[in-house]
Amino acid sequence: MGVTLPTDTHMTAAVEFRAVSRHFGPPSAPVRAVDGVELTIAEGSFFAMLGPSGSGKTTCLRLISGFEKPTSGTIRIFGQDVSDVPPNRRNVNTVFQDYALFPHMNVRDNVAYGLMVKGVDRRLRHDKAEEMLALVKLGGYGDRKPGQLSGGQRQRVALARALVNEPRVLLLDEPLGALDLKLREAMQDELKALQQRLGITFVFVTHDQGEALSMADSLAVFNEGKIAQIGTPEEIYARPRTRFVADFVGSSNVLPPEVTRAFGGPAAWASLRPEALHLVAADGVALSGTVTGSRYLGAGSRVTVAVPGAEIAVIVPAGAPLPAPGSAIGLAFAPDALHVMEGA
Amino acid sequence: MHSDRASLGLRIAALAGLLFLHLPILLIFLYAFTTEEKSYQFPPPGLTLEWFAVAWHRADIWPPLWLSVQVATIATVLALILGTLVSAAMAQSRFFGREQISLLILLPIALPGVITGMALRSAFSVMDIPYSVWTIILGHATFCIVIVYNNAVARFRRLSGGILEASADLGANAFQTFRHVLLPNLGSALLAGGMLAFALSFDEVIVTTFTAGQQSTLPIWMLQELVRPRQRPVTNVVAIVVFAATFLPILIAYYLTRSGSETAGAGK
Amino acid sequence: MTASPAILPERGPGDRLTALFWRRPRLLLALLLGPPLIWLGVVYLGSLLALLLQSFYSIDEFSGVVKEEFTLKTYAELFRAQNLDIILRTLLMSAAVTLGCAIIAFPIAYYAARFAKGRWKAVFYLGVMLPLWSSYLVKVYAWKLILAKEGIVTWVAEHIGAGVILNAVLALPGIGGNSLSTAPLGTFLVFVYVWLPYMILPMQAALERVPTTMLEASADLGASRSQTFRTVILPLALPGVVAGSIFTFSLTMGDYIIPQIIGTSARFIGLAVYQFQGTAGNLPLAAAFAVVPIVIMLVYLAIAKRMGAFDAL
C-alpha cells in the first residue's frame, strides 16, 4: 500500500446515483425498472443491493457497468459523471450471474483477457493471470477450458478475470446463486476476506437476505424500482422502515395498528422479531394467546401463537420445553423490541 | 403397456423409409460405369471406366462447371456478409418489425422457386437488364441469405449473451469484441452456413433457368441432357460430380455444428 | 497500490466508434440491417412487385408484344378451361404428394424421435439430411433411370414374378402409361421421394416435443398402445404434419422440372409458367400463373397458422 494515498479520492464516494430512473417500454406506459434512486456507495465498502426479482437491483448494477443507460438522472463513479462513458472505459468490472466465461479460451486466457485488450504483452499478462488464479485458489488450472470446470471453479475464474484489471469497483450479480448451500457459505466467507484484503469497493446484488446481512457493510433494500431502505445490516434488521423491509429481511412479525396497540405501542404498523419474544406462563400476563403449531429449525423451534388480530411467531431456543398446540400461552418482550414503522 | 422398444413393424417401416431415401442415389454411381450408352438397361450389360475419360475431354462440360463454381462462390460470399449482418442485428436487440424481417429473409426459400425465378425474370424484363453472370448471382445470393442466417442466428441464440457484455466489461471495444469473442464463437457456424449456401447454389436449377438467359450452369447442362439425352453415362459422371459438390459440404457442415443443439441444414 | 483512474482514457478510433455505437445503439442496428434489407427489399421485393406488375399487362395477340398498360385480361385468361385444368391438376397432385409424404414420413419421424438413441440418432439425422441436401437434379435423374421401361423396377418386377401386377397398374387409366417414367404415377413417386425429407424433419421436431412422461401418463391411465397412439401422439404430431405439408405442397406446386422429365408432360402450374415465359414469350400470362401459387400458399399458411403449425418449424 502506497503511503501517498490521495486524500480526496479517499473521501469521495465510489458510486453515486442522483435521481436515477431507468424506464423500459413506450414512454406512454413505461415499466419503471429503476425509479428515482438516490444512492451513495462509500469507497472500500462492501455494499449489497437486496430485493426480490424485478425490484430493480440488477438494473442498478447494469447502470453502473454501463450496460443500461439512465432514462434520467446522473451516475457518478468516483465523482465523474459517466453519462457519456461506454462500459469498456469504465474501470469497473463485473462477475456475471452465469459467469459468462469465454468458452473458446482456456482459463488463463479468460483471466488475461482484460489485459490482452489493453495491449499488455503475452508473458506479462500470463504471469498476472496465474497470480490471480492463485489468489482465487485455482493455481494450475490455467490450461483447462471453462467447460471442464465445476460451477464453483467457474465462479472463481470469473472473479479472477474481473479482478485482474484492478478495477476501482467490482460488481457481483448474484454470483453465488448457482452454487449449492455449503459451497455458497464457504464462498461468502472468501469473498468477504478478499474484499477486505484488496480494499476494492464491492457492489453485490442478491435476493438472499441472509447473504446480504452477513456480508455487507451497508445495504439497500429494493422494492419496485425504488430503494425501500438503506443502512447497515443491523439498522435494517432491527429497525425496518416499512412493512416491505420487515417482511423481506428476516421473518419478522408484522403487526397491524390495532395489534400494535394491544402489544403496548401506538396505533401504527410495527415489527417484532420472533427471537425478541419469549414464552411465559399464560396466567397473569398482559399478552396471551393459543399455540397453533411449532416447527423444528435445528438451532431452535419456531412456535406460532394466535392472538386476536394476528398470528405471532416466536423462536424458542433448543432445549427449552415446547408448549403443546392448543394450549394457552403468554408472550413477553422488551419494550424497545417493538419497532414502529412509517406509513402503512 | 407402453414399452421403450419400437415394435417390429415400426422398425421395418422406418428402416425401409431410410433405404427408400438412399438407394436411388446409388444407382447414379452404377450407371456411370455401364457399357450401354443408348438406354438405361438394368442390369448393365458390362462395366467400364471409359466414361470418366470421355467426360474429362468433353469441351461442353467445362464452361458450365466453371460458371457454376463462379456463381456459387460469389453468391456464398454475398450471402455470408448479408446473412451475418442481419443475424447480428436480430440477436443484438429487439426492435419494431423483427417478425417482418425474418419473414422477408425466409420468403425467397419458402415460396416455390418458380415464383422467385419468374419474379426476377419479370424485373429484368421491366428494367431491361441483360442476362449475365450477375443476374444469376442476384437470385442465388437472395435465397442463400436465409441459409447463412439460420446457422448464425442459432449460434447467436446458443452463445450466452453475457460473453459479449463480459468482453466490453473487461475493456474491449466493439472491434476487439468482434475479433476475439464473436468471430471465434461464430466461425464454425458461418463456415457451415457458407458450405450449405455453396451446395445450394451449385445445384440450383429452378431459379437459374429464369435468370441465366442463354448461359449454362452445370445443373442447366444436366437438365438439357435429361430432356434430350446424348451420351447417357457421361451425364452420370457429371451427376456424380454435382452430387459430391453438394454431399461433401453438408457432411462438413454437420460435423462443424453437431456439438450444438442447432444442427446445420434443418432449415433448407 | 496507487489507485488507477476510475475512467480509462480513449485509445484511438476503435474506442471512439464503440462509444458512438453505445450512445446511439440504433445507429449500429441501422448499419447492420441496412445492407441486407436493401438487398432483399430491392432485389427480392422489387422483383415480386415487377411480377405483379407484369401480371397486369397483357400480350398483343397479333404482334406478340407485351402491352404495358393495366388490364385484368390476363387474369381472366386463367379461367379458361385448359388453364383451370392446369391449376386443378396441380392442386390434386400437391395434395396427393403431401398425403403420400405424410404416410411414409411418419414411421421414420416417429422412430427417430422416440426410439433412436446415440449413434442411431445421428444415423437417422444424417440419413434424412443428406438426401435433403443432395443435388435435386441428381435425385430426379436417378429416378429416370429407375423408372425407365428397361430399368430396375421392370427388371425386379419380372424377376419376382410381379410383372403382371406392374403391367396391370400401368394399364390403369389416369395414373398409368407406357412405362412408369411416362406415367402420372411415376411423377407422383418422384415428387414424394424428392420432398419426403421436408415432411420428416418438422414431424420429427413435433414428435420430439411430446414428453415421454405424457405417454407414460397415458399408459398409467390404462390406455392401450394403440389408444395412446391415436389419442395422444397423433394429435400432438399434427402441427408437425401441417408444417411439413407447407413445404411439400408449396414445392410440388412450383416444380416444373419433374413433370417435364417424368410423366406424361401434362402441364402443371410451374411448367406453365416456365413455358409461357420461355417458348411462348407470354410474360404477362406466366406472371399471372406465378401469382396463383402465391395466393394458394397465403391461404394455406393462414390455415396452418391457426392450427399451430409454426411452432413446429
Side-chain angles (χ1 to χ4, degrees), chain B:
Chain B
M1 254 323 276
H2 178 75
S3 88
D4 242 15
R5 283 179 55 86
S7 68
L8 188 65
L10 176 63
R11 267 184 283 171
I12 290 173
L15 219 57
L18 275 193
L19 286 179
F20 172 66
L21 279 173
H22 288 265
L23 287 183
I25 297 173
L26 293 180
L27 272 187
I28 292 287
F29 288 83
L30 176 66
Y31 274 98
F33 300 97
T34 182
T35 49
E36 167 64 50
E37 72 170 283
K38 294 272 181 285
S39 78
Y40 301 120
Q41 187 190 341
F42 188 91
L47 297 175
T48 169
L49 281 171
E50 69 163 303
W51 302 115
F52 286 85
V54 173
W56 183 267
H57 293 292
R58 278 269 292 265
D60 61 328
I61 294 175
W62 291 101
L65 175 64
W66 171 233
L67 181 63
S68 283
V69 170
Q70 232 178 324
V71 166
T73 309
I74 300 175
T76 301
V77 170
L78 282 171
L80 271 174
I81 296 170
L82 298 172
T84 310
L85 285 176
V86 74
S87 62
M90 299 291 256
Q92 182 219 7
S93 55
R94 347 219 105 254
F95 50 87
F96 182 74
R98 272 173 67 91
E99 303 261 302
Q100 286 74 10
I101 291 174
S102 70
L103 185 70
L104 179 63
I105 298 164
L106 190 70
L107 216 53
I109 209 151
L111 287 179
V114 71
I115 293 173
T116 308
M118 188 57 215
L120 286 166
R121 167 94 167 80
S122 303
F124 299 153
S125 150
V126 168
M127 299 178 66
D128 282 324
I129 298 171
Y131 294 113
S132 69
V133 187
W134 291 100
T135 53
I136 307 178
I137 291 171
L138 222 52
H140 283 210
T142 302
F143 59 68
C144 284
I145 293 175
V146 65
I147 307 296
V148 176
Y149 169 78
N150 275 348
N151 274 274
V153 102
R155 182 62 60 87
F156 267 121
R157 215 174 289 146
R158 206 185 81 195
L159 276 183
S160 129
I163 63 170
L164 301 184
E165 286 192 351
S167 171
D169 188 77
L170 293 165
N173 67 35
F175 302 91
Q176 290 172 315
T177 301
F178 179 77
R179 189 174 138 219
H180 297 299
V181 177
L182 191 55
L183 211 54
N185 279 293
L186 210 55
S188 63
L190 290 183
L191 191 56
M195 289 275 175
L196 295 176
F198 186 91
L200 187 64
S201 167
F202 190 82
D203 170 48
E204 216 291 330
V205 64
I206 294 197
V207 176
T208 316
T209 48
F210 288 90
T211 58
Q214 298 304 311
Q215 308 165 85
S216 198
T217 60
L218 202 56
I220 291 184
W221 179 92
M222 250 189 90
L223 181 62
Q224 284 159 355
E225 292 296 310
L226 282 183
V227 179
R228 271 178 302 278
R230 284 178 290 173
Q231 278 175 310
R232 295 174 194 231
V234 170
T235 312
N236 278 78
V237 173
V238 174
I240 290 176
V241 172
V242 174
F243 177 75
T246 55
F247 182 87
L248 294 178
I250 161 70
L251 210 58
I252 297 169
Y254 171 76
Y255 282 104
L256 282 174
T257 56
R258 94 197 132 136
S259 54
S261 53
E262 99 254 27
T263 319
K268 182 171 178 177

Side-chain angles (χ1 to χ4, degrees), chain C residues 65-140:
Chain C
V65 177
V66 176
K67 281 197 292 190
E68 299 192 350
E69 50 196 58
F70 180 87
T71 173
L72 288 172
K73 208 175 87 187
T74 311
Y75 278 104
E77 272 188 56
L78 288 181
F79 292 94
R80 282 193 195 162
Q82 83 249 36
N83 289 344
L84 273 182
D85 254 11
I86 294 176
I87 295 171
L88 266 180
R89 183 181 304 119
T90 308
L91 283 178
L92 205 64
M93 179 58 88
S94 303
V97 168
T98 299
L99 197 66
C101 282
I103 291 169
I104 301 181
F106 191 82
I108 304 176
Y110 187 55
Y111 189 92
R114 282 277 293 125
F115 301 103
K117 301 260 152 52
R119 203 180 173 74
W120 276 101
K121 193 110 195 156
V123 167
F124 267 88
Y125 183 80
L126 275 178
V128 176
M129 207 53 84
L130 287 176
L132 170 71
W133 280 89
S134 320
S135 168
Y136 162 84
L137 265 185
V138 170
K139 286 183 281 192
V140 177

Side-chain angles (χ1 to χ4, degrees), chain A residues 220-243:
Chain A
V221 183
F222 279 78
N223 184 30
E224 294 176 343
K226 295 189 167 74
I227 293 184
Q229 188 172 1
I230 193 161
T232 64
E234 295 77 17
E235 280 166 1
I236 287 181
Y237 188 79
R239 292 189 293 283
R241 231 179 57 194
T242 66
R243 277 166 66 195

